[in-house]
Amino acid sequence: MIEDRPIMRSMMGERIWRLMQSDPEGFKRETRNYFARAYPGWTVIRVRYPFVFLRDDRGNRR
């Protein structure tokens, strides 16, 4: 946990990973959008192939 907030490790499809080298800004945008739809209230905090680490921000507004 970071700052008493749960962390989750997840994965995403290769289509988005391919953007990492060719279009870094597009990669960031697609990654955030993907996880905003899949896990509302969770925030991407780290990306390290093949994992994406998410923080649970549901109900933890500061």
Side-chain angles (χ1 to χ4, degrees):
M1 289 206 270
I2 294 178
E3 299 176 15
D4 297 325
R5 294 183 189 175
I7 301 297
M8 175 173 53
R9 182 174 69 176
S10 190
M11 299 173 87
M12 61 186 171
E14 289 299 319
R15 178 191 69 80
I16 298 173
W17 284 111
R18 282 192 295 271
L19 292 172
M20 188 180 234
Q21 296 299 320
S22 64
D23 182 5
E25 289 305 313
F27 172 76
K28 291 175 188 176
R29 182 181 57 251
E30 289 294 318
T31 300
R32 283 189 217 108
N33 288 342
Y34 177 86
F35 286 102
R37 285 188 306 272
Y39 298 103
W42 291 74
T43 304
V44 174
I45 58 168
R46 184 174 183 187
V47 176
R48 187 169 195 155
Y49 186 84
F51 300 111
V52 178
F53 296 87
L54 305 160
R55 180 183 62 222
D56 185 359
D57 287 333
R58 296 172 297 172
N60 291 321
R61 305 291 177 219
R62 291 184 178 186

